[in-house]
Amino acid sequence: MRNLFFINLVTLSFMLSMYSCDNEELGCIDSTACNYDSSATDDDGSCDYSCIGCTDSTACNYDSSATNDDNSCLYDNPIDIIYIEDTIEGNVADELVSNIHIQNNSCDEVTLLVRKIFPPSSASAYFCFNNICFPSSEIVSPNPLTLSSGEIDDYFKGYLIADQPGVYEVTYRFYLENDPIQNQEVTITYNVN
């Protein structure tokens, strides 16, 4: 009797596993893939991602075969500020620092310089650019930064040390070495207590 129960249990388990296999629908289950199959319950390894790319025809890296945009589009505005700490708080005599991340938003390699404008007269403002830090007397970076298409530089830092409380603003202009008209300006506000 015990053996018969065990045999029936094994038979039932086998039948249930066969039934569940019959209901599996193989296909691509990744919704970001070109051949996503919403009725698939099991991935068969067939996902195709070749349709993913820049779908904006005005971008310089437009991919006419792409049907799903991957946010990689680049334009002919080569300088894009993608991150900035534009308001910094601190105390008198503290070294206050702001970080700025720059991206080459074009399809060509670019060479950039940075110029400090409107530096405060009653505080020391200096910056680090292209892995070099410059004293507060430096207005234009003497060493240009070259970025390839789409490359991001996260090294720029704008520093301020003030010996009096107040609000200090420092503006930086990032521009193309061979075409200064192509530029982006950012202003950092330092609130010193």
Side-chain angles (χ1 to χ4, degrees):
M1 184 80 152
R2 214 176 203 172
N3 284 344
L4 183 59
F5 175 76
F6 180 72
I7 291 171
N8 285 339
L9 184 61
V10 169
T11 304
L12 180 62
S13 294
F14 177 74
M15 288 174 52
L16 284 174
S17 70
M18 291 301 290
Y19 176 75
S20 66
C21 288
D22 289 342
N23 287 335
E24 285 181 354
E25 184 73 35
L26 295 177
C28 175
I29 60 172
D30 185 348
S31 62
T32 64
C34 310
N35 61 332
Y36 168 65
D37 183 353
S38 62
S39 64
T41 57
D42 241 2
D43 196 353
D44 65 358
S46 69
C47 292
D48 176 16
Y49 298 95
S50 63
C51 65
I52 297 173
C54 174
T55 60
D56 184 348
S57 62
T58 65
C60 57
N61 64 332
Y62 169 64
D63 183 353
S64 61
S65 65
T67 56
N68 293 339
D69 194 82
D70 64 356
N71 296 319
S72 69
C73 294
L74 299 172
Y75 300 89
D76 286 328
N77 177 13
I79 306 167
D80 193 13
I81 307 299
I82 59 170
Y83 175 79
I84 180 173
E85 295 170 335
D86 58 358
T87 304
I88 305 297
E89 305 251 348
N91 297 314
V92 167
D94 285 352
E95 182 178 67
L96 307 180
V97 62
S98 169
N99 292 286
I100 298 173
H101 300 181
I102 310 156
Q103 181 176 17
N104 174 4
N105 199 30
S106 75
C107 290
D108 300 316
E109 183 178 89
V110 297
T111 302
L112 304 175
L113 291 170
V114 63
R115 176 181 195 77
K116 179 174 57 175
I117 42 183
F118 309 125
S121 59
S122 58
S124 173
Y126 62 98
F127 62 93
C128 298
F129 177 70
N130 195 18
N131 297 321
I132 302 169
C133 292
F134 301 100
S136 60
S137 60
E138 196 75 60
I139 301 298
V140 176
S141 60
N143 301 67
L145 170 68
T146 300
L147 296 176
S148 59
S149 176
E151 185 178 359
I152 296 171
D153 176 72
D154 62 0
Y155 186 79
F156 184 89
K157 293 168 183 48
Y159 292 90
L160 183 113
I161 300 173
D163 56 6
Q164 298 288 325
V167 177
Y168 300 86
E169 289 189 340
V170 182
T171 301
Y172 292 98
R173 176 183 296 147
F174 299 90
Y175 61 95
L176 295 183
E177 182 179 42
N178 62 351
D179 184 9
I181 300 298
Q182 293 277 343
N183 67 75
Q184 286 285 345
E185 282 187 8
V186 294
T187 298
I188 304 166
T189 302
Y190 297 92
N191 295 313
V192 180
N193 300 312

